[in-house]
Amino acid sequence: MTDIVNMIKNVTFFLLAATLIANLFADTEYKKYFLYAAGLIVISLALSPVWSLLGKTEDFAGYLRQAMDSQQAEEIEEQMRILGEEAERE
């Protein structure tokens, strides 16, 4: 949630600054290039929470893998315990 709030703050601040700078290019041919670049920056600012979320998926995959490994180890220990009890009965 904080990522989204930070993204909104960043986009808002950048749009305000870009609007002020765009007014400096009011009647020049460079205005369209500036607006194009500003649009790309806004898109990258808006996608930043998605990028950070994708970066966290790798951590989640590692956590999931570790949890599965520990569960498998517990199952193997349980099977060994059962086999040991059966061997004692014989």
Side-chain angles (χ1 to χ4, degrees):
M1 185 66 176
T2 59
D3 290 338
I4 294 172
V5 172
N6 286 334
M7 181 268 304
I8 291 171
K9 287 179 185 178
N10 290 337
V11 169
T12 303
F13 176 75
F14 180 77
L15 286 175
L16 288 172
T19 302
L20 291 173
I21 295 171
N23 286 331
L24 296 174
F25 294 116
D27 294 327
T28 65
E29 62 184 64
Y30 297 110
K31 184 176 182 175
K32 62 181 177 182
Y33 300 114
F34 176 77
L35 292 177
Y36 178 74
L40 291 176
I41 293 171
V42 168
I43 290 171
S44 67
L45 287 173
L47 291 177
S48 62
V50 175
W51 290 331
S52 67
L53 183 63
L54 290 176
K56 291 178 184 175
T57 57
E58 294 174 6
D59 295 337
F60 179 73
Y63 172 75
L64 184 61
R65 192 175 309 111
Q66 182 182 9
M68 289 176 62
D69 289 343
S70 66
Q71 181 181 7
Q72 288 175 348
E74 290 174 4
E75 289 176 2
I76 291 172
E77 289 175 2
E78 179 66 21
Q79 289 174 358
M80 290 176 63
R81 186 186 61 79
I82 292 172
L83 287 173
E85 288 174 0
E86 289 178 1
E88 289 176 0
R89 286 185 216 158
E90 296 176 359

